Amino acid sequence: MKRGRIFGAVATFALAGALACAGCAGGGQGASTDAGKASVLDPADPVQVELWTYYNGTQQQAFEDLVKEFNAGRGKDTGVVVTSSSQGGVNDLAAAVTDSAQELVGSEAMPDAFLSYSDTASVIDELGRVADLSPYLTDDEKAQYVDSFIEEGDINGDGSLKVFPVGKSTETLQINLTDWQKFADATGSTLEELSTIEGITAVAQRYYEWTDAQTPDAAGDGRPFFGRDAMANYLIMGSRQLGHDVFDIEGGACSLDLDRTTMKKLWDNYYVPMVQGWFSAEGKFRSDAVKTGDLVCYVGSSSSVVYFPKTVTVDDNTSYPIELAALSNPTFKDGKPCAPQQGAGFVVAKSDEKKEAACVEFLKWFTDKEQNTAFSISAGYVPVKKDALTLDNLQKAAESVEGTSENYLVNLPATLDTIEAGVYANPPFKGGVEARAVLEKALSDKAVADRAAVAAAVEGGATPEEAVAPYLEDAVFDAWLADLTAKLEAAIA
């Protein structure tokens, strides 16, 4: 296992007093860039910087409100004026920035800073268009940020800072507690069983059999229990939990580590329950299936919990309210906890020192405890500094943030527990976007197609056991693994 970024409990939450001191050392709310860089800013000669985001709706409004606050306060005092605009979605922004960086005909001029994930930032960096922000922060200032959050911005592994963290998320297990409780009361199932991936599989089988038994005249009509939103995360993080990196990255180059035993365990705890109807992948997102009562729980982004439904609508005549419960991201029984570290940061375009310093001035203000906490709550993220990333801070702050999502607060302990246990973001590498796209579809597409074939065979007169048997043979797994290997090798070649 080579270069990567993982963050555990000691790095974030231990030594609370020391963290509080670190928050003072860097010059919290009123801090400016270090003396050498700050001297280029002059309130008598303000500089304007343009920021591009993919924020929409509530996120965009929360961000724009903070931009106005900055311009009226810190920006006015230091000589910085920020303007911002949303470019649509994540992919829209990435495409627009890439076109701008290459100066393609019809593209707009490069913004001074833009939201980006590390893969896009790496592409722009290879064009020589990304500023290194490390010189603009003192060591004390860097120490205020959660270690892995700021390390993720070192996309070249050389101590630079090319992606400035502003808000993060991970994955949690989100549960329709209302329907879960009916099932748990009837079967003796417990939420503790859902702490492991194998436990979820076992409970899903139990749920399928329990619902199937409710219609004794119709065999094989049990209902699915569980689903996943991001399959690439499952394969990458699940492998890492078991001691192997699917993408083993060294110096920007990737080699594959598709250990058969590890991949078989991943297969057995997704494909096998999928083809038997214990899991499902209905709807664009799994919350869609929760809304119709077709799933009880799923693993999804902690930032998406605001969309978890408050009501199940079975049909035009049947609906009922449900309650949300949330647990930490599940881990394999014999694995080491590891969940995805998610959330884009700001990349500053390489320009003159005054423009770069102005962007950093805003980003440092934006990620100070008060501002970043309020924005994170509004946007569904968690803040990026150690003194802000606490349950107490976020719960207290939520009382004064208008429109705080109740779902966000319910999910918050699970989010922080997941981050504390360990989160990871692999560094960018050549072919990384294409390779991740392969992982996103390779297992789920086959599982969905084969489940449909099993259901068709049952409708044709086969028993459920007869219909699924051919898909449970090792040869099916081995053929899939060979195909996956070939596709990934092609992506990173």
Side-chain angles (χ1 to χ4, degrees):
M1 191 178 298
K2 300 177 184 175
R3 177 175 163 258
R5 304 178 178 96
I6 190 162
F7 161 60
V10 175
T12 313
F13 298 99
L15 304 176
L19 297 186
C21 291
C24 298
Q29 182 76 11
S32 180
T33 47
D34 66 54
K37 298 294 185 181
S39 62
V40 301
L41 298 176
D42 181 2
D45 182 23
V47 58
Q48 181 168 313
V49 293
E50 181 182 9
L51 276 56
W52 284 2
T53 77
Y54 57 77
Y55 296 143
N56 289 283
T58 302
Q59 292 178 339
Q60 183 180 7
Q61 186 61 57
F63 184 73
E64 290 178 351
D65 288 346
L66 285 170
V67 167
K68 291 176 183 177
E69 182 181 338
F70 172 82
N71 287 337
R74 175 78 71 81
K76 184 177 181 180
D77 293 341
T78 56
V80 180
V81 179
V82 175
T83 61
S84 68
S85 63
S86 174
Q87 300 299 306
V90 176
N91 294 333
D92 297 322
L93 174 56
V97 167
T98 303
D99 288 350
S100 296
Q102 298 178 87
E103 299 181 346
L104 297 183
V105 175
S107 64
E108 296 186 54
M110 276 275 286
D112 298 298
F114 55 92
L115 273 178
S116 177
Y117 285 91
S118 60
D119 286 319
T120 299
S122 181
V123 171
I124 308 301
D125 188 43
E126 288 179 0
L127 297 171
R129 304 297 301 271
V130 175
D132 177 13
L133 306 183
S134 185
Y136 292 90
L137 283 81
T138 66
D139 289 341
D140 283 343
E141 287 173 328
K142 293 174 187 175
Q144 295 175 33
Y145 293 85
V146 172
D147 296 345
S148 72
F149 292 175
I150 204 157
E151 287 168 6
E152 186 182 351
D154 180 11
I155 59 176
N156 298 319
D158 57 4
S160 61
L161 178 60
K162 299 291 182 72
V163 184
F164 199 110
V166 293
K168 290 296 180 182
S169 64
T170 184
E171 287 184 336
T172 56
L173 178 64
Q174 298 164 27
I175 308 164
N176 170 351
L177 185 62
T178 303
D179 286 344
W180 160 266
Q181 199 60 57
K182 299 172 188 175
F183 162 66
D185 291 343
T187 63
S189 301
T190 66
L191 289 174
E192 287 74 16
E193 293 180 86
L194 305 182
S195 64
T196 67
I197 291 172
E198 295 94 336
I200 289 174
T201 299
V203 170
Q205 179 180 0
R206 191 182 310 148
Y207 180 80
Y208 181 90
E209 292 171 350
W210 178 69
T211 53
D212 186 29
Q214 293 172 18
T215 53
D217 295 334
D221 67 340
R223 299 206 304 273
F225 174 77
F226 173 78
R228 287 183 175 275
D229 271 347
M231 289 304 301
N233 284 347
Y234 171 61
L235 293 168
I236 294 169
M237 300 305 153
S239 294
R240 190 172 177 87
Q241 288 177 10
L242 297 169
H244 296 271
D245 281 329
V246 171
F247 302 132
D248 198 1
I249 304 159
E250 183 78 18
C254 175
S255 59
L256 301 176
D257 183 4
L258 299 174
D259 175 70
R260 186 186 187 279
T261 300
T262 297
M263 298 307 293
K264 184 64 162 58
K265 184 164 287 192
L266 289 160
W267 171 272
D268 287 344
N269 286 280
Y270 188 81
Y271 175 87
V272 170
M274 270 288 293
V275 295
Q276 297 186 91
W278 311 343
F279 292 4
S280 84
E282 295 181 13
K284 183 177 181 180
F285 300 105
R286 303 298 82 80
S287 57
D288 296 339
V290 171
K291 189 173 184 178
T292 57
D294 294 319
L295 274 186
V296 174
C297 61
Y298 66 95
V299 166
S301 170
S302 58
S303 63
S304 73
V305 73
V306 295
Y307 302 108
F308 192 93
K310 296 184 180 298
T311 303
V312 164
T313 303
V314 179
D315 53 44
D316 291 341
N317 300 313
T318 307
S319 65
Y320 54 93
I322 59 173
E323 183 180 354
L324 166 70
L327 298 176
S328 303
N329 186 63
T331 301
F332 278 106
K333 182 179 178 181
D334 297 322
K336 180 180 179 180
C338 185
Q341 177 172 293
Q342 302 180 142
F346 270 99
V347 172
V348 174
K350 184 179 289 186
S351 59
D352 60 81
E353 190 174 15
K354 191 170 184 178
K355 285 267 191 181
E356 293 176 8
C359 290
V360 173
E361 192 70 30
F362 171 74
L363 293 173
K364 290 169 66 175
W365 177 88
F366 180 55
T367 53
D368 275 341
K369 182 178 180 180
E370 182 178 345
Q371 293 85 252
N372 202 220
T373 297
F375 173 75
S376 296
I377 293 171
S378 296
Y381 298 133
V382 294
V384 295
K385 284 190 173 181
K386 295 171 183 175
D387 64 347
L389 191 64
T390 70
L391 184 61
D392 182 64
N393 172 58
L394 288 162
Q395 287 180 331
K396 286 182 178 178
E399 296 174 2
S400 58
V401 175
E402 185 178 352
T404 297
S405 165
E406 181 182 345
N407 284 356
Y408 176 88
L409 293 175
V410 171
N411 190 60
L412 187 56
T415 300
L416 297 183
D417 286 347
T418 297
I419 293 173
E420 182 179 10
V423 288
Y424 171 77
N426 64 254
F429 59 93
K430 181 178 178 292
V433 173
E434 295 79 5
R436 185 177 177 90
V438 169
L439 287 186
E440 196 61 47
K441 293 187 174 184
L443 184 56
S444 58
D445 283 5
K446 179 169 178 55
V448 168
D450 289 355
R451 174 57 191 167
V454 169
V458 172
E459 289 180 7
T463 66
E465 294 76 16
E466 292 170 341
V468 78
Y471 299 93
L472 303 182
E473 297 180 1
D474 280 355
V476 177
F477 163 74
D478 286 324
W480 170 80
L481 183 58
D483 181 64
L484 173 65
T485 303
K487 288 178 178 177
L488 288 176
E489 288 175 343
I492 66 175

